[in-house]
Structures are given as C-alpha cells and as structure tokens.
Amino acid sequence: GAVVSQHPSWVICKSGTSVKIECRSLDFQATTMFWYRQFPKQSLMLMATSNEGSKATYEQGVEKDKFLINHASLTLSTLTVTSAHPEDSSFYICSARIQGRVDTGELFFGEGSRLTVL
Amino acid sequence: DQQVKQNSPSLSVQEGRISILNCDYTNSMFDYFLWYKKYPAEGPTFLISISSIKDKNEDGRFTVFLNKSAKHLSLHIVPSQPGDSAVYFCAAHARLEYGNKLVFGAGTILRVKS
C-alpha cells in the first residue's frame, strides 16, 4: 500500500512552453501533497505544499505564478511549470502523507519527473 | 540556512561491515528525524525514523541513534550489503504554524563493495 505515482517520468520541452506533471496517490487519500525539486548532487528542496480544495502554500523564493499547483481531488495534485526555461530543468518529486495518520514526517514519494527544457 | 546537514557526500564500505551515516541539525524544535533511501531516477523511500524523545530506534539491520545535546543523529547499517548502495537522506520534521514541514539534508552516497 501507500503508492504514489508521477507522470510523466521524463519530459523534454522547448523553452517558453508549459509542462504539467501529475501526482497521484493510488491506494490512499491525501489531503496534503508536497512538491520537491532536486538539483544534481543536492538535497530535495520543498517547493510548495499542495492542499486539496484550497490554494497551495509556497516556500520562500518559489514563484507561484511560475509553478502552478492544483490539488483538485484527494488523490491528484498537478504541478504546471509555465513558460519553462532551461534553468527550470530539474528533477521534480511529489510526495504525500496518508490522511488521518499522526504526522511523524513519513512521506510516500512518487518516482519523480525529469524535466529538460531546451 | 541549512538546518539539516550531512557533511559526508559519500561513504564506501566493504560488504559485511558496518556503515555509519551521520547527520547534524540546528533547530531544536524538530520532533521527528527520518532516514530516506534513494536510487537514481527514483523517488526516496522511507527507511527508519526516531522521535525526538528517544535516543535509539532499531529495525532489523538499521539502527538510528539520536544525540539531542549534540544535535546529531546517525544511521547504522550492519551488516552492509551491496543492495544498500544508494543515496541516504537525513530529514527532520517540524510542526509549524502554517503547516508541517520536512527538511532534508544534502544526502550521502553509500557504496557497499562486495
């Protein structure tokens, strides 16, 4: 149980286009999902907290108009990178916490999505 | 401001021996500490955690030790196996006014040689 799936795993796009990444909790409900970004040889940086039915909470320094997050249901959150540029190229990973459990920090991560902007 | 630090970027250990991965933190408000394991091009998977009120938690070959006075924790893997080769992230959990948050260290690459 507790599987989180991301799609697509790899995406290559041209500069200026928008890319949508989906994150689904397959066998549990998640009122809260988290979007992370990882640069090569660096840590996972929390970008935003996605809340079902309400606006996402963005971390300091993350442009909310650049990285649009929508959490329309208890099992789906989407991250849209708008007007992508080469510096947006990165590994994006989503995670979720099982609803109803005491929060001890245990998150279930998706497989990640490698974005390359040409 | 790095609140969670893993100062060793990599560690190489012989199969069967003990692997010790270290992590330091600065914020005394963290209530849980966790270790995640990550393979290339995959998302991290949860390995083991410890509450801030404990000093040791053991799960099979994995043991996490917490030294609150030193703000230091370590993950011991014994015996190490080649399949343990991965990146290990230390993470700390904080309860904040606007929501709970998990802060990650930079990771340590573990290589277990057979």
Side-chain angles (χ1 to χ4, degrees), chain A residues 37-45 87-92 114:
Chain A
R37 181 175 180 177
Q38 185 185 24
F39 292 101
K41 298 184 180 179
Q42 292 190 29
S43 181
L44 288 82
M45 301 300 297
E87 58 265 28
D88 298 324
S89 299
S90 192
F91 192 57
Y92 293 88
R114 170 72 61 191

Coordinates of all heavy atoms in Angstrom, one line a residue, chain A residues 37-45 87-92 114:
Chain A
R37 N 11.9 19.7 -5.4 CA 12.8 19.8 -6.6 C 14.2 19.4 -6.2 O 14.6 19.8 -5.1 CB 12.8 21.3 -7.0 CG 13.6 21.6 -8.3 CD 13.4 23.0 -8.7 NE 14.2 23.3 -9.9 CZ 14.1 24.5 -10.5 NH1 13.4 25.5 -10.1 NH2 14.9 24.7 -11.6
Q38 N 14.8 18.7 -7.0 CA 16.2 18.3 -6.7 C 17.1 18.6 -7.8 O 17.0 18.2 -9.0 CB 16.3 16.8 -6.4 CG 17.6 16.3 -5.9 CD 17.8 14.8 -5.8 OE1 17.1 14.1 -6.4 NE2 18.7 14.4 -5.0
F39 N 18.2 19.4 -7.5 CA 19.2 19.7 -8.4 C 20.3 18.6 -8.3 O 20.4 18.0 -7.3 CB 19.8 21.1 -8.2 CG 18.9 22.2 -8.5 CD1 18.2 22.8 -7.4 CD2 18.6 22.6 -9.8 CE1 17.3 23.9 -7.7 CE2 17.7 23.6 -10.0 CZ 17.1 24.3 -9.0
P40 N 21.1 18.4 -9.3 CA 22.1 17.4 -9.3 C 23.0 17.5 -8.1 O 23.5 18.6 -7.7 CB 22.9 17.6 -10.6 CG 22.0 18.3 -11.5 CD 21.1 19.1 -10.6
K41 N 23.2 16.4 -7.4 CA 24.0 16.3 -6.2 C 23.6 17.2 -5.1 O 24.4 17.6 -4.2 CB 25.5 16.5 -6.6 CG 26.0 15.5 -7.6 CD 27.5 15.7 -7.9 CE 28.0 14.7 -8.9 NZ 29.4 14.9 -9.2
Q42 N 22.4 17.6 -5.1 CA 21.9 18.5 -4.0 C 20.7 17.8 -3.3 O 20.2 16.8 -3.7 CB 21.5 19.8 -4.5 CG 22.7 20.6 -5.0 CD 22.4 22.1 -5.3 OE1 21.4 22.6 -4.7 NE2 23.1 22.7 -6.3
S43 N 20.3 18.5 -2.3 CA 19.2 18.0 -1.5 C 17.8 18.2 -2.2 O 17.7 18.9 -3.2 CB 19.1 18.7 -0.1 OG 18.1 18.2 0.7
L44 N 16.8 17.6 -1.6 CA 15.4 17.8 -2.0 C 15.0 19.1 -1.4 O 15.0 19.3 -0.2 CB 14.5 16.7 -1.6 CG 14.6 15.4 -2.3 CD1 15.8 14.6 -1.7 CD2 13.4 14.6 -2.2
M45 N 14.6 20.1 -2.2 CA 14.1 21.3 -1.7 C 12.6 21.4 -1.9 O 12.0 21.2 -2.9 CB 14.7 22.5 -2.6 CG 16.2 22.5 -2.5 SD 16.9 22.7 -0.8 CE 16.2 24.3 -0.4
E87 N 16.7 26.9 -17.1 CA 17.0 26.9 -15.7 C 16.0 26.2 -14.8 O 16.2 25.9 -13.7 CB 17.3 28.3 -15.1 CG 16.1 29.2 -15.3 CD 16.2 30.1 -16.5 OE1 16.9 29.7 -17.5 OE2 15.7 31.2 -16.5
D88 N 14.8 25.9 -15.5 CA 13.8 25.1 -14.8 C 14.0 23.6 -14.9 O 13.3 22.8 -14.3 CB 12.4 25.4 -15.4 CG 12.0 26.9 -15.2 OD1 12.4 27.5 -14.1 OD2 11.4 27.4 -16.1
S89 N 15.0 23.2 -15.7 CA 15.4 21.8 -15.9 C 15.8 21.3 -14.5 O 16.7 21.8 -13.9 CB 16.5 21.7 -16.9 OG 16.1 22.1 -18.1
S90 N 15.1 20.2 -14.1 CA 15.4 19.6 -12.8 C 14.6 18.3 -12.6 O 13.9 17.9 -13.5 CB 14.9 20.7 -11.7 OG 15.4 20.3 -10.5
F91 N 14.8 17.7 -11.5 CA 14.1 16.5 -11.1 C 13.0 17.0 -10.1 O 13.3 17.5 -9.0 CB 15.0 15.5 -10.5 CG 14.5 14.1 -10.3 CD1 14.0 13.4 -11.4 CD2 14.5 13.5 -9.1 CE1 13.5 12.1 -11.2 CE2 14.0 12.2 -8.9 CZ 13.5 11.5 -10.0
Y92 N 11.8 16.8 -10.5 CA 10.6 17.2 -9.6 C 10.0 16.0 -9.0 O 9.7 15.0 -9.7 CB 9.6 18.0 -10.4 CG 10.1 19.3 -10.9 CD1 10.8 19.4 -12.2 CD2 10.0 20.5 -10.2 CE1 11.3 20.6 -12.6 CE2 10.4 21.7 -10.6 CZ 11.1 21.7 -11.9 OH 11.6 22.9 -12.3
R114 N 11.7 13.9 -14.5 CA 12.9 14.6 -15.0 C 12.5 15.6 -16.1 O 12.0 15.2 -17.2 CB 13.9 13.7 -15.6 CG 15.1 14.3 -16.3 CD 16.0 15.0 -15.4 NE 16.6 14.1 -14.4 CZ 17.3 14.5 -13.4 NH1 17.5 15.8 -13.1 NH2 17.9 13.7 -12.5

